[in-house]
Amino acid sequence: MARPVLSTYRLQLHGGESGFAFTFAEAEQLLDYFDELGVSHLYLSPIMTPVGGSAHGYDVVDPTTVSAELGGPQGLARLSAAAQARGIGLIVDIVPNHVGVAKPEQNPWWWDVLRHGRSSPYAAFFDIDWELGDGRIILPVLGSDADVADLAVDGEVLRLGDLVFPIADGTGAGSGAQVHDRQHYRLVGWRNGTCGYRRFFSITSLAGLRQEERTVFDAWHAELSRWFDAGLVDGVRVDHPDGLSDPGGYLQWLRALVGPDAWIVVEKILAMDESLEPTLPVAGSTGYDVLREIGGLFIDPNGEPALTELFETAGVDYRAMPTLVAEQKEFAASATLGSELARLRRCVVSTIGVDHLLLADALVALLGQVGVYRSDYPGLAVRLSVALAETQSQRPELGEALQLVAAAIAGGGECAVRLQQLCGAVTAKAIEDCLFYRDARLVSLNEVGGDPQCFGVGAAEFHDRAATRARRWPHTMTTLSTHDTKRGEDVRARIGVLSQVPSLWAEFVARWEAGVPSPDLATGLFLWQNIFGVWPVDGQVSTTLRERLHAYAEKAAREAARLTSWHDPDTEFEDALHRWLDDVLDGPIAQQLTELVAELGPHIDTDILGQKLLALTVPGVPDVYQGTELYDDSLVDPDNRREVDYTVRREALKALHHPKMRVVAAALRTRRARPDTFLYGGYYPVLASGPAAEHIVAFRRGVDVVVAVSRWTVRLGEDRWRDTDIALPPGTWADALSGSRHRGPAPAGEVFSELPVALLERVDG
């Protein structure tokens, strides 16, 4: 590959549905800025044609074309050529697991299947449960089953409001309901809990594809193949490969298609005790494991008891969280994903020819015990066996039914695959989309790839994982923010500082709850931290911020699904929540929040800069999510897809006065100047000595770069770095951030005299 991937800059492209556009043309206009910043590659959100007006691009309706809203193939070619002229490459996010079907008329493959049923040449493209609908595809798109009576025949289509469906040839006579009964699909109410196809998790507007079929793979990847043949892109990020029937097989085909030098990373969410499968032909994952390690390094373990105690004032027993995790997984399997569970159960019965009254219970209990998204990778050979043993131990009455499950999956095949696909969906819906909105101990830990029950990451673990990554996955992606993170990196860093002042935080929360009690304490404890995380330094709450916080509060409460939910919103509770939030924003608490942010400001800045420098210099290829080269107060999507002010960032890059911009630019430029150091240079801990040694984390990359960051600075006190040294390797080291020079052992007070972080380059050989 002509351009080694040294760093990426993530761009969220869209055609203007949010009130502003960011297309290929807008990206092209910013290439000079990205070049000056030091970016190696632009990393584009999905660019295949999505549902019209898509805000994110993950609902592709036509994988054979480049989105016209973004500029079409000509716009992509122009962007690629202009980027290459500056030595910048392109990485593209692809979505092979599913396509968008919310508007069937926009998806030619799906439309053809709905019109022609099993005789469609695309029938085998989709993972359709034909058995469930007696040969018809069940589409849960109606408010209720009775809405079928309101269908209207309009030429060759059936209409109901904005919904449009095709009419099979020769079946269009009669009323809408009569015509509907003759189609290859059956429309039902969405509350029925049945769906006639594999979904992306529980999202009925996204239908799963059967990429394990070579015909499907070739048809879907034809446009992608053209990009590589034309030299337009250098690599891909693969969205949710765990949802596929055979992720390993798929990635083997993909590697053969794009060539041996293309950079491939996969969106793989790893458990704390899980490693990326070493046999996969990829450069690595998209970096959620690194996000957890870096963020956890700045969490002060001394804050755990007090923050746990504060959360338990809401009636929570935190020791019971593992049980709650299993229970929530079981609920997700039996209720949220009940249609997928029923299909798996039927598959087991069909495979072994034996039914059992407790079979569904056994499957649900087993899914609650599997601690990873997918356990059929070779490196996880015993995971499912352990889960079966734990289920048997906890639920001995399920022993006979568990034997049937084991028999059905023993030879691999459809049952084994569907179990694995359901396992990932259950984990996502139970943990990321629910428990992460219930656990209010320290919400910065509630992040994709994280485990809130593990309170931070020790320096020893951090060093070991980084060194291991340097040996095994030196070109994996590292990141702090993505389009899927629950809150932006700087918001997490600010909230993480609360671990250093747990008693102070508890005092403030008690005072606030006494003055403006939240409608539900557990919800309040969760939202207080997020409000603090985005609170403006000047205390001026804009109309936009108010709207963002109201939208977030409602989403968070619904995701938690304790007192309200997306399916059954409790308007009375939500109204009370919104009134409470307005009281917080408009009352005396606002001034107290401003004062607290100011008091903790230096420590917040320390953690923000430390996290960013680590993400840009530890083993792996760092991604800078759009706009995060300056401070960013984003919450969960769609909040993190807001317009980025690049005029401000251009000015900041030119002046280099903003600390975070200084860190980002210096690190990216250093990577570009010393590619071998960062791609192949290994990782070696550098130790500190003295009374404040635990507040320093440092390491060497190759022989010519040392990185040092400070942490837990609230506890340092006025003496700070007295008698504390950093054991720099022999030689003279110049700080790319401050220009100062040091020789080892270097006093920490000198190294951190200007900034709480240092990026040192050897300058004498």
mmCIF file with all atom_site columns, all heavy atoms in Angstrom, residues 21 35 40 75 82 86 96 203 211 316 331 352 367-368 443 461 600 684 741:
data_model
loop_
_atom_site.group_PDB
_atom_site.id
_atom_site.type_symbol
_atom_site.label_atom_id
_atom_site.label_alt_id
_atom_site.label_comp_id
_atom_site.label_asym_id
_atom_site.label_entity_id
_atom_site.label_seq_id
_atom_site.pdbx_PDB_ins_code
_atom_site.Cartn_x
_atom_site.Cartn_y
_atom_site.Cartn_z
_atom_site.occupancy
_atom_site.B_iso_or_equiv
_atom_site.pdbx_formal_charge
_atom_site.auth_seq_id
_atom_site.auth_comp_id
_atom_site.auth_asym_id
_atom_site.auth_atom_id
_atom_site.pdbx_PDB_model_num
ATOM 1   N N   . ALA A 1 21  ? -25.107 20.319  5.611  1.00 0.00 ? 21  ALA A N   1
ATOM 2   C CA  . ALA A 1 21  ? -24.597 19.221  4.805  1.00 0.00 ? 21  ALA A CA  1
ATOM 3   C C   . ALA A 1 21  ? -23.108 19.035  5.065  1.00 0.00 ? 21  ALA A C   1
ATOM 4   O O   . ALA A 1 21  ? -22.381 19.998  5.307  1.00 0.00 ? 21  ALA A O   1
ATOM 5   C CB  . ALA A 1 21  ? -24.835 19.492  3.325  1.00 0.00 ? 21  ALA A CB  1
ATOM 6   N N   . ASP A 1 35  ? -4.363  18.097  6.341  1.00 0.00 ? 35  ASP A N   1
ATOM 7   C CA  . ASP A 1 35  ? -2.951  17.912  6.027  1.00 0.00 ? 35  ASP A CA  1
ATOM 8   C C   . ASP A 1 35  ? -2.086  18.644  7.040  1.00 0.00 ? 35  ASP A C   1
ATOM 9   O O   . ASP A 1 35  ? -1.120  18.086  7.593  1.00 0.00 ? 35  ASP A O   1
ATOM 10  C CB  . ASP A 1 35  ? -2.681  18.435  4.619  1.00 0.00 ? 35  ASP A CB  1
ATOM 11  C CG  . ASP A 1 35  ? -1.275  18.104  4.135  1.00 0.00 ? 35  ASP A CG  1
ATOM 12  O OD1 . ASP A 1 35  ? -0.595  17.267  4.761  1.00 0.00 ? 35  ASP A OD1 1
ATOM 13  O OD2 . ASP A 1 35  ? -0.852  18.694  3.125  1.00 0.00 ? 35  ASP A OD2 1
ATOM 14  N N   . SER A 1 40  ? -3.148  11.290  8.441  1.00 0.00 ? 40  SER A N   1
ATOM 15  C CA  . SER A 1 40  ? -2.709  10.363  7.401  1.00 0.00 ? 40  SER A CA  1
ATOM 16  C C   . SER A 1 40  ? -3.856  9.950   6.485  1.00 0.00 ? 40  SER A C   1
ATOM 17  O O   . SER A 1 40  ? -3.712  9.908   5.267  1.00 0.00 ? 40  SER A O   1
ATOM 18  C CB  . SER A 1 40  ? -2.088  9.124   8.059  1.00 0.00 ? 40  SER A CB  1
ATOM 19  O OG  . SER A 1 40  ? -2.157  7.991   7.245  1.00 0.00 ? 40  SER A OG  1
ATOM 20  N N   . GLY A 1 75  ? -18.118 12.559  -7.047 1.00 0.00 ? 75  GLY A N   1
ATOM 21  C CA  . GLY A 1 75  ? -17.663 13.273  -5.859 1.00 0.00 ? 75  GLY A CA  1
ATOM 22  C C   . GLY A 1 75  ? -16.630 12.478  -5.081 1.00 0.00 ? 75  GLY A C   1
ATOM 23  O O   . GLY A 1 75  ? -15.647 13.031  -4.570 1.00 0.00 ? 75  GLY A O   1
ATOM 24  N N   . ALA A 1 82  ? -8.016  14.501  -4.826 1.00 0.00 ? 82  ALA A N   1
ATOM 25  C CA  . ALA A 1 82  ? -7.518  15.686  -4.121 1.00 0.00 ? 82  ALA A CA  1
ATOM 26  C C   . ALA A 1 82  ? -6.775  15.286  -2.851 1.00 0.00 ? 82  ALA A C   1
ATOM 27  O O   . ALA A 1 82  ? -5.761  15.894  -2.489 1.00 0.00 ? 82  ALA A O   1
ATOM 28  C CB  . ALA A 1 82  ? -8.679  16.615  -3.788 1.00 0.00 ? 82  ALA A CB  1
ATOM 29  N N   . ARG A 1 86  ? -2.334  15.347  -1.700 1.00 0.00 ? 86  ARG A N   1
ATOM 30  C CA  . ARG A 1 86  ? -1.729  15.823  -0.451 1.00 0.00 ? 86  ARG A CA  1
ATOM 31  C C   . ARG A 1 86  ? -1.132  14.693  0.374  1.00 0.00 ? 86  ARG A C   1
ATOM 32  O O   . ARG A 1 86  ? -0.731  14.897  1.520  1.00 0.00 ? 86  ARG A O   1
ATOM 33  C CB  . ARG A 1 86  ? -2.780  16.567  0.389  1.00 0.00 ? 86  ARG A CB  1
ATOM 34  C CG  . ARG A 1 86  ? -3.201  17.904  -0.201 1.00 0.00 ? 86  ARG A CG  1
ATOM 35  C CD  . ARG A 1 86  ? -4.144  18.635  0.731  1.00 0.00 ? 86  ARG A CD  1
ATOM 36  N NE  . ARG A 1 86  ? -4.427  19.975  0.264  1.00 0.00 ? 86  ARG A NE  1
ATOM 37  C CZ  . ARG A 1 86  ? -3.681  21.050  0.535  1.00 0.00 ? 86  ARG A CZ  1
ATOM 38  N NH1 . ARG A 1 86  ? -2.609  20.922  1.288  1.00 0.00 ? 86  ARG A NH1 1
ATOM 39  N NH2 . ARG A 1 86  ? -4.004  22.232  0.061  1.00 0.00 ? 86  ARG A NH2 1
ATOM 40  N N   . PRO A 1 96  ? -21.856 -4.632  6.037  1.00 0.00 ? 96  PRO A N   1
ATOM 41  C CA  . PRO A 1 96  ? -22.267 -5.847  5.324  1.00 0.00 ? 96  PRO A CA  1
ATOM 42  C C   . PRO A 1 96  ? -23.355 -6.648  6.016  1.00 0.00 ? 96  PRO A C   1
ATOM 43  O O   . PRO A 1 96  ? -23.952 -7.530  5.388  1.00 0.00 ? 96  PRO A O   1
ATOM 44  C CB  . PRO A 1 96  ? -20.974 -6.657  5.257  1.00 0.00 ? 96  PRO A CB  1
ATOM 45  C CG  . PRO A 1 96  ? -20.238 -6.258  6.502  1.00 0.00 ? 96  PRO A CG  1
ATOM 46  C CD  . PRO A 1 96  ? -20.544 -4.794  6.688  1.00 0.00 ? 96  PRO A CD  1
ATOM 47  N N   . ILE A 1 203 ? -33.944 -3.836  15.655 1.00 0.00 ? 203 ILE A N   1
ATOM 48  C CA  . ILE A 1 203 ? -34.375 -2.739  14.784 1.00 0.00 ? 203 ILE A CA  1
ATOM 49  C C   . ILE A 1 203 ? -35.023 -3.319  13.534 1.00 0.00 ? 203 ILE A C   1
ATOM 50  O O   . ILE A 1 203 ? -34.343 -3.848  12.642 1.00 0.00 ? 203 ILE A O   1
ATOM 51  C CB  . ILE A 1 203 ? -33.187 -1.833  14.419 1.00 0.00 ? 203 ILE A CB  1
ATOM 52  C CG1 . ILE A 1 203 ? -32.526 -1.305  15.681 1.00 0.00 ? 203 ILE A CG1 1
ATOM 53  C CG2 . ILE A 1 203 ? -33.652 -0.679  13.537 1.00 0.00 ? 203 ILE A CG2 1
ATOM 54  C CD1 . ILE A 1 203 ? -31.260 -0.506  15.434 1.00 0.00 ? 203 ILE A CD1 1
ATOM 55  N N   . GLN A 1 211 ? -24.406 -12.957 3.952  1.00 0.00 ? 211 GLN A N   1
ATOM 56  C CA  . GLN A 1 211 ? -23.123 -12.801 3.277  1.00 0.00 ? 211 GLN A CA  1
ATOM 57  C C   . GLN A 1 211 ? -22.355 -14.113 3.181  1.00 0.00 ? 211 GLN A C   1
ATOM 58  O O   . GLN A 1 211 ? -21.342 -14.180 2.465  1.00 0.00 ? 211 GLN A O   1
ATOM 59  C CB  . GLN A 1 211 ? -22.276 -11.758 4.017  1.00 0.00 ? 211 GLN A CB  1
ATOM 60  C CG  . GLN A 1 211 ? -22.828 -10.348 4.002  1.00 0.00 ? 211 GLN A CG  1
ATOM 61  C CD  . GLN A 1 211 ? -22.567 -9.630  2.682  1.00 0.00 ? 211 GLN A CD  1
ATOM 62  O OE1 . GLN A 1 211 ? -22.105 -10.227 1.714  1.00 0.00 ? 211 GLN A OE1 1
ATOM 63  N NE2 . GLN A 1 211 ? -22.879 -8.345  2.641  1.00 0.00 ? 211 GLN A NE2 1
ATOM 64  N N   . VAL A 1 316 ? -30.232 0.756   45.601 1.00 0.00 ? 316 VAL A N   1
ATOM 65  C CA  . VAL A 1 316 ? -29.530 -0.224  44.782 1.00 0.00 ? 316 VAL A CA  1
ATOM 66  C C   . VAL A 1 316 ? -28.502 -0.949  45.640 1.00 0.00 ? 316 VAL A C   1
ATOM 67  O O   . VAL A 1 316 ? -27.787 -0.324  46.424 1.00 0.00 ? 316 VAL A O   1
ATOM 68  C CB  . VAL A 1 316 ? -28.817 0.466   43.598 1.00 0.00 ? 316 VAL A CB  1
ATOM 69  C CG1 . VAL A 1 316 ? -28.026 -0.544  42.789 1.00 0.00 ? 316 VAL A CG1 1
ATOM 70  C CG2 . VAL A 1 316 ? -29.830 1.198   42.721 1.00 0.00 ? 316 VAL A CG2 1
ATOM 71  N N   . PHE A 1 331 ? -34.105 -11.028 29.996 1.00 0.00 ? 331 PHE A N   1
ATOM 72  C CA  . PHE A 1 331 ? -35.262 -10.235 29.564 1.00 0.00 ? 331 PHE A CA  1
ATOM 73  C C   . PHE A 1 331 ? -35.110 -9.841  28.099 1.00 0.00 ? 331 PHE A C   1
ATOM 74  O O   . PHE A 1 331 ? -36.079 -9.915  27.321 1.00 0.00 ? 331 PHE A O   1
ATOM 75  C CB  . PHE A 1 331 ? -35.406 -8.985  30.428 1.00 0.00 ? 331 PHE A CB  1
ATOM 76  C CG  . PHE A 1 331 ? -36.512 -8.076  29.971 1.00 0.00 ? 331 PHE A CG  1
ATOM 77  C CD1 . PHE A 1 331 ? -37.831 -8.336  30.319 1.00 0.00 ? 331 PHE A CD1 1
ATOM 78  C CD2 . PHE A 1 331 ? -36.246 -6.973  29.171 1.00 0.00 ? 331 PHE A CD2 1
ATOM 79  C CE1 . PHE A 1 331 ? -38.859 -7.514  29.880 1.00 0.00 ? 331 PHE A CE1 1
ATOM 80  C CE2 . PHE A 1 331 ? -37.265 -6.143  28.729 1.00 0.00 ? 331 PHE A CE2 1
ATOM 81  C CZ  . PHE A 1 331 ? -38.581 -6.412  29.091 1.00 0.00 ? 331 PHE A CZ  1
ATOM 82  N N   . ILE A 1 352 ? -32.844 -31.674 16.080 1.00 0.00 ? 352 ILE A N   1
ATOM 83  C CA  . ILE A 1 352 ? -32.702 -32.915 16.856 1.00 0.00 ? 352 ILE A CA  1
ATOM 84  C C   . ILE A 1 352 ? -33.974 -33.746 16.884 1.00 0.00 ? 352 ILE A C   1
ATOM 85  O O   . ILE A 1 352 ? -33.975 -34.879 17.359 1.00 0.00 ? 352 ILE A O   1
ATOM 86  C CB  . ILE A 1 352 ? -32.245 -32.623 18.293 1.00 0.00 ? 352 ILE A CB  1
ATOM 87  C CG1 . ILE A 1 352 ? -33.278 -31.756 19.020 1.00 0.00 ? 352 ILE A CG1 1
ATOM 88  C CG2 . ILE A 1 352 ? -30.880 -31.959 18.301 1.00 0.00 ? 352 ILE A CG2 1
ATOM 89  C CD1 . ILE A 1 352 ? -32.928 -31.514 20.485 1.00 0.00 ? 352 ILE A CD1 1
ATOM 90  N N   . LEU A 1 367 ? -28.071 -17.865 27.372 1.00 0.00 ? 367 LEU A N   1
ATOM 91  C CA  . LEU A 1 367 ? -27.673 -16.572 26.806 1.00 0.00 ? 367 LEU A CA  1
ATOM 92  C C   . LEU A 1 367 ? -27.296 -15.582 27.904 1.00 0.00 ? 367 LEU A C   1
ATOM 93  O O   . LEU A 1 367 ? -26.436 -14.717 27.709 1.00 0.00 ? 367 LEU A O   1
ATOM 94  C CB  . LEU A 1 367 ? -28.806 -16.013 25.948 1.00 0.00 ? 367 LEU A CB  1
ATOM 95  C CG  . LEU A 1 367 ? -29.052 -16.749 24.626 1.00 0.00 ? 367 LEU A CG  1
ATOM 96  C CD1 . LEU A 1 367 ? -30.403 -16.371 24.041 1.00 0.00 ? 367 LEU A CD1 1
ATOM 97  C CD2 . LEU A 1 367 ? -27.933 -16.440 23.637 1.00 0.00 ? 367 LEU A CD2 1
ATOM 98  N N   . GLY A 1 368 ? -27.921 -15.725 29.059 1.00 0.00 ? 368 GLY A N   1
ATOM 99  C CA  . GLY A 1 368 ? -27.596 -14.839 30.170 1.00 0.00 ? 368 GLY A CA  1
ATOM 100 C C   . GLY A 1 368 ? -26.229 -15.091 30.769 1.00 0.00 ? 368 GLY A C   1
ATOM 101 O O   . GLY A 1 368 ? -25.695 -14.239 31.500 1.00 0.00 ? 368 GLY A O   1
ATOM 102 N N   . VAL A 1 443 ? -20.697 7.255   35.665 1.00 0.00 ? 443 VAL A N   1
ATOM 103 C CA  . VAL A 1 443 ? -21.224 6.961   34.335 1.00 0.00 ? 443 VAL A CA  1
ATOM 104 C C   . VAL A 1 443 ? -20.167 7.041   33.242 1.00 0.00 ? 443 VAL A C   1
ATOM 105 O O   . VAL A 1 443 ? -20.403 6.568   32.126 1.00 0.00 ? 443 VAL A O   1
ATOM 106 C CB  . VAL A 1 443 ? -22.423 7.871   33.995 1.00 0.00 ? 443 VAL A CB  1
ATOM 107 C CG1 . VAL A 1 443 ? -23.524 7.710   35.031 1.00 0.00 ? 443 VAL A CG1 1
ATOM 108 C CG2 . VAL A 1 443 ? -22.001 9.325   33.868 1.00 0.00 ? 443 VAL A CG2 1
ATOM 109 N N   . GLU A 1 461 ? -1.798  -3.073  34.522 1.00 0.00 ? 461 GLU A N   1
ATOM 110 C CA  . GLU A 1 461 ? -2.650  -3.622  33.468 1.00 0.00 ? 461 GLU A CA  1
ATOM 111 C C   . GLU A 1 461 ? -2.512  -2.815  32.190 1.00 0.00 ? 461 GLU A C   1
ATOM 112 O O   . GLU A 1 461 ? -2.409  -3.376  31.092 1.00 0.00 ? 461 GLU A O   1
ATOM 113 C CB  . GLU A 1 461 ? -4.115  -3.634  33.919 1.00 0.00 ? 461 GLU A CB  1
ATOM 114 C CG  . GLU A 1 461 ? -5.063  -4.138  32.844 1.00 0.00 ? 461 GLU A CG  1
ATOM 115 C CD  . GLU A 1 461 ? -6.533  -3.904  33.151 1.00 0.00 ? 461 GLU A CD  1
ATOM 116 O OE1 . GLU A 1 461 ? -6.854  -3.508  34.298 1.00 0.00 ? 461 GLU A OE1 1
ATOM 117 O OE2 . GLU A 1 461 ? -7.362  -4.110  32.243 1.00 0.00 ? 461 GLU A OE2 1
ATOM 118 N N   . LEU A 1 600 ? -12.731 22.397  39.724 1.00 0.00 ? 600 LEU A N   1
ATOM 119 C CA  . LEU A 1 600 ? -12.082 21.173  39.248 1.00 0.00 ? 600 LEU A CA  1
ATOM 120 C C   . LEU A 1 600 ? -11.441 21.345  37.873 1.00 0.00 ? 600 LEU A C   1
ATOM 121 O O   . LEU A 1 600 ? -10.862 20.398  37.341 1.00 0.00 ? 600 LEU A O   1
ATOM 122 C CB  . LEU A 1 600 ? -13.103 20.036  39.196 1.00 0.00 ? 600 LEU A CB  1
ATOM 123 C CG  . LEU A 1 600 ? -13.726 19.636  40.538 1.00 0.00 ? 600 LEU A CG  1
ATOM 124 C CD1 . LEU A 1 600 ? -14.762 18.538  40.340 1.00 0.00 ? 600 LEU A CD1 1
ATOM 125 C CD2 . LEU A 1 600 ? -12.662 19.186  41.525 1.00 0.00 ? 600 LEU A CD2 1
ATOM 126 N N   . TYR A 1 684 ? 7.459   0.247   25.715 1.00 0.00 ? 684 TYR A N   1
ATOM 127 C CA  . TYR A 1 684 ? 8.289   -0.056  26.868 1.00 0.00 ? 684 TYR A CA  1
ATOM 128 C C   . TYR A 1 684 ? 7.949   0.917   27.999 1.00 0.00 ? 684 TYR A C   1
ATOM 129 O O   . TYR A 1 684 ? 8.144   2.129   27.854 1.00 0.00 ? 684 TYR A O   1
ATOM 130 C CB  . TYR A 1 684 ? 9.769   0.070   26.499 1.00 0.00 ? 684 TYR A CB  1
ATOM 131 C CG  . TYR A 1 684 ? 10.119  -0.684  25.242 1.00 0.00 ? 684 TYR A CG  1
ATOM 132 C CD1 . TYR A 1 684 ? 10.109  -0.032  24.004 1.00 0.00 ? 684 TYR A CD1 1
ATOM 133 C CD2 . TYR A 1 684 ? 10.428  -2.037  25.275 1.00 0.00 ? 684 TYR A CD2 1
ATOM 134 C CE1 . TYR A 1 684 ? 10.409  -0.717  22.834 1.00 0.00 ? 684 TYR A CE1 1
ATOM 135 C CE2 . TYR A 1 684 ? 10.740  -2.736  24.108 1.00 0.00 ? 684 TYR A CE2 1
ATOM 136 C CZ  . TYR A 1 684 ? 10.718  -2.069  22.886 1.00 0.00 ? 684 TYR A CZ  1
ATOM 137 O OH  . TYR A 1 684 ? 11.008  -2.752  21.736 1.00 0.00 ? 684 TYR A OH  1
ATOM 138 N N   . ARG A 1 741 ? 13.859  20.913  27.120 1.00 0.00 ? 741 ARG A N   1
ATOM 139 C CA  . ARG A 1 741 ? 14.740  19.761  26.958 1.00 0.00 ? 741 ARG A CA  1
ATOM 140 C C   . ARG A 1 741 ? 15.040  19.133  28.320 1.00 0.00 ? 741 ARG A C   1
ATOM 141 O O   . ARG A 1 741 ? 15.149  19.837  29.329 1.00 0.00 ? 741 ARG A O   1
ATOM 142 C CB  . ARG A 1 741 ? 16.032  20.168  26.253 1.00 0.00 ? 741 ARG A CB  1
ATOM 143 C CG  . ARG A 1 741 ? 15.797  20.660  24.828 1.00 0.00 ? 741 ARG A CG  1
ATOM 144 C CD  . ARG A 1 741 ? 17.066  20.664  24.016 1.00 0.00 ? 741 ARG A CD  1
ATOM 145 N NE  . ARG A 1 741 ? 16.776  20.932  22.610 1.00 0.00 ? 741 ARG A NE  1
ATOM 146 C CZ  . ARG A 1 741 ? 17.590  20.610  21.598 1.00 0.00 ? 741 ARG A CZ  1
ATOM 147 N NH1 . ARG A 1 741 ? 18.748  19.998  21.856 1.00 0.00 ? 741 ARG A NH1 1
ATOM 148 N NH2 . ARG A 1 741 ? 17.256  20.884  20.356 1.00 0.00 ? 741 ARG A NH2 1
#
